[in-house]
Amino acid sequence: MLSLSKKSDEQADVEPLWHPDFRNVERLPDTKVVRTTFFINTAAIAATLALLMWLGYREFHIRTLEQQISEAEHQIDTNSRQNKEALRLSQVFTDEEKKLDAAANFVHAPLSITEFIEILGNTLPAEISIESVDARLSDARNRSYVLRGLVAGTRDKASGSASAYVDTLRANPRLKKVFDAITPERIAPDGATGLLSFEISLKEKPEGKK
Amino acid sequence: MTTADITASFKKQPVGFACGLLCVVLGALLYFRSDVVDADQADYDAKSAQAAKIVANVSASKNLAEQVKEIQTATKEMEGRLLQSGQLGINLQYFYKLETETGVKLVDVHPNGISKNNKTAYLPVPFNVSIQGPYKKIMLFLAQLENGPHFCHFNSATFTKLTGGEGASQNMMTLTLNLELLGQP
């Protein structure tokens, strides 16, 4: 019985036939159960479909993006005029705010001179007399006050009073908040009056330090 | 491979050939449009960010016009309190007026040179002022300077108790001020 399957030319070379083969292989029908054409067509169609789906998905994605872009552009166009006006107003506001800030910074001081003098008046003991107050306020990072005064009483008591006065100043909550250091610079007898003279310096804290 | 061979192969596998041809076309399309997604995505990101910013600006500026009007009124009011740096007579009049109101003795008042190196819109106009009087009047003068119509900044202040003579008995003192009043050029 003749084989139903086609044999390749290679096989023909390997196994010599016992009689001449007159078959025209090219014209013989494909008699395999599942034909080669089926596999080729299936693979080709599957590959084509896969590529088609890939391309389709990507085109859909592009279309969606383009729609979203157009929506965003529409939103930009719709609000563009209002946005320009808002930006203009915002610039005007910023300029005006700068002017107000300049004035506020100009007058800003952690402690006004009148408040400082009032605190001195409220904390001054009876035996102490302030002869001069020198405020140096031009440099915002290095503001200081210098108090010069006289203390009544015997020298031993007077020096104690001067030290106690420095402690009183240091304990004052408002001064504590504003000044970094309150230090007695000099305590010495005053030649003219015979009393004990003193000098106390108060250095303001730099801005921002608490 | 001749045309006849190709024709024969096509006739043998027409579906496979058609699909192969379509695959080539699809592959080319995929290749040539591969940049479009990235470009569109970048475009979308930029435009959506811009749109979100614009929408946020617009919604945040609902009461901005009123606020601008308010701040402009406040600035106008503030500018009404500024000195005109060139009007020396009127500026000195301010201190003489304070002298009259508080009862201190204005020993000396003179303007100092105006610093041109100023980054703000306004100009500090400096003065040296020296006054004499009792403690309470001196404090009144100082308080009026601090809270008066003009914006005042003190560079230095020296209080000195007057000793000896009539001054000492009346609790008199001298106050020497180096101050600046905020002005406009």
Side-chain angles (χ1 to χ4, degrees), chain A residues 109-126 128 130 133 145 147 165-179 182 200 202 204, chain B residues 135 139 142 146 159:
Chain A
L111 184 70
S112 70
I113 298 177
T114 47
E115 192 185 356
F116 178 70
I117 299 293
E118 268 172 32
I119 293 171
L120 286 187
N122 293 336
T123 54
L124 195 68
I128 290 181
I130 303 277
V133 177
Y145 289 80
L147 307 180
Y165 181 50
V166 172
D167 291 339
T168 308
L169 292 177
R170 281 177 183 157
N172 183 280
R174 184 74 179 104
L175 297 182
K176 206 194 262 183
K177 208 175 168 188
V178 175
F179 293 104
I182 301 176
I200 302 168
L202 301 94
E204 260 183 29
Chain B
Y135 170 75
M139 288 302 285
L142 202 58
E146 278 179 350
F159 295 79

Side-chain angles (χ1 to χ4, degrees), chain A:
Chain A
M1 193 180 162
L2 281 173
S3 165
L4 289 173
S5 62
K6 284 198 275 185
K7 284 181 181 169
S8 68
D9 293 341
E10 246 179 79
Q11 276 179 315
D13 291 340
V14 175
E15 288 175 30
L17 297 166
W18 63 274
H19 63 84
D21 181 8
F22 297 106
R23 289 181 302 173
N24 185 350
V25 179
E26 297 298 319
R27 291 192 64 187
L28 281 173
D30 190 353
T31 52
K32 282 183 281 190
V33 177
V34 181
R35 294 180 187 177
T36 312
T37 312
F38 173 78
F39 289 114
I40 291 170
N41 288 352
T42 308
I45 289 168
T48 311
L49 277 177
L51 280 175
L52 207 60
M53 281 168 74
W54 185 8
L55 188 72
Y57 169 75
R58 226 171 55 179
E59 289 304 313
F60 175 73
H61 187 44
I62 289 168
R63 197 160 170 261
T64 312
L65 277 175
E66 279 170 355
Q67 274 175 350
Q68 285 171 331
I69 288 166
S70 125
E71 271 171 35
E73 277 171 350
H74 177 69
Q75 218 169 18
I76 290 168
D77 292 343
T78 312
N79 294 306
S80 175
R81 202 179 56 81
Q82 281 174 289
N83 181 51
K84 268 185 194 164
E85 179 62 7
L87 290 176
R88 190 190 67 80
L89 287 174
S90 174
Q91 188 56 50
V92 173
F93 190 92
T94 310
D95 292 345
E96 297 294 313
E97 196 182 23
K98 270 185 195 164
K99 290 179 187 173
L100 290 177
D101 283 347
N105 289 336
F106 182 75
V107 293
H108 169 75
L111 184 70
S112 70
I113 298 177
T114 47
E115 192 185 356
F116 178 70
I117 299 293
E118 268 172 32
I119 293 171
L120 286 187
N122 293 336
T123 54
L124 195 68
E127 67 274 18
I128 290 181
S129 152
I130 303 277
E131 298 300 301
S132 77
V133 177
D134 196 2
R136 291 161 202 158
L137 311 166
S138 57
D139 183 0
R141 285 166 298 177
N142 191 23
R143 279 193 279 235
S144 66
Y145 289 80
V146 177
L147 307 180
R148 291 183 194 91
L150 296 168
V151 193
T154 57
R155 284 183 184 172
D156 61 327
K157 272 191 180 175
S159 63
S161 300
S163 297
Y165 181 50
V166 172
D167 291 339
T168 308
L169 292 177
R170 281 177 183 157
N172 183 280
R174 184 74 179 104
L175 297 182
K176 206 194 262 183
K177 208 175 168 188
V178 175
F179 293 104
D180 224 359
I182 301 176
T183 44
E185 297 293 338
R186 186 178 59 81
I187 299 176
D190 182 53
T193 58
L195 299 171
L196 204 69
S197 69
F198 67 86
E199 189 177 301
I200 302 168
S201 83
L202 301 94
K203 284 198 193 309
E204 260 183 29
K205 287 178 186 173
E207 295 275 356
K209 191 178 171 184
K210 291 194 176 177

